[in-house]
Amino acid sequence: MKFTTVMSWLVVVAGFYFGLSYLLAGDWAASGFGIVDPTGYYVVKGVRDLAYALTALILLLMKQRRALGWVVLADSIIPIGDCLAVMTHGGTVGYALMVHGSAAVLVLLTAWLLLREKAPAQAEPVPAR
């Protein structure tokens, strides 16, 4: 197996490990993160959202619409998770649905539209004379 493939799998596994650690053992994971001041998590959220936006931008500019559809679908978990976090941590259901629920619907709609697009027809090569 190529070294870059191994490293790519490492990135995937690390993302799942850290993400699940925060969901299943948040206090333990937070202490290992190193931020003591809770306002530091604003930076974490900002960086997360920028990383998602840059990933989508790269795929969009590279005209990788099918891959973009799958990435957008996978990343729909972000507004869904944000919606659930607001509802379960002191926010109102109405606000959670209005802000994060509506974002989730738009993201899922975008993913669905991208994934159902037909690939553009390839132009037939002109025969050489």
Side-chain angles (χ1 to χ4, degrees):
M1 186 179 301
K2 285 183 167 183
F3 179 71
T4 52
T5 302
V6 171
M7 295 303 292
S8 298
W9 274 109
L10 180 61
V11 168
V12 170
V13 170
F16 276 109
Y17 172 77
F18 291 120
L20 289 171
S21 293
Y22 275 95
L23 292 175
L24 301 175
D27 290 337
W28 173 80
S31 68
F33 194 84
I35 294 177
V36 177
D37 178 3
T39 61
Y41 286 101
Y42 299 146
V43 176
V44 173
K45 181 171 176 358
V47 169
R48 174 196 74 176
D49 290 348
L50 286 172
Y52 162 69
L54 286 171
T55 301
L57 176 64
I58 289 165
L59 292 171
L60 187 61
L61 293 175
M62 293 179 69
K63 299 182 188 313
Q64 297 296 315
R65 297 178 70 80
R66 185 111 181 125
L68 176 60
W70 285 112
V71 167
V72 170
L73 179 63
D75 286 337
S76 69
I77 197 168
I78 294 171
I80 293 168
D82 291 349
C83 185
L84 292 171
V86 170
M87 288 191 287
T88 59
H89 291 86
T92 66
V93 171
Y95 189 82
L97 293 174
M98 180 178 65
V99 174
H100 306 290
S102 65
V105 168
L106 289 173
V107 170
L108 287 167
L109 174 65
T110 302
W112 179 71
L113 291 170
L114 283 163
L115 290 171
R116 65 185 293 269
E117 277 185 353
K118 301 286 187 231
Q122 297 290 328
E124 292 290 324
V126 177
R129 293 184 186 208

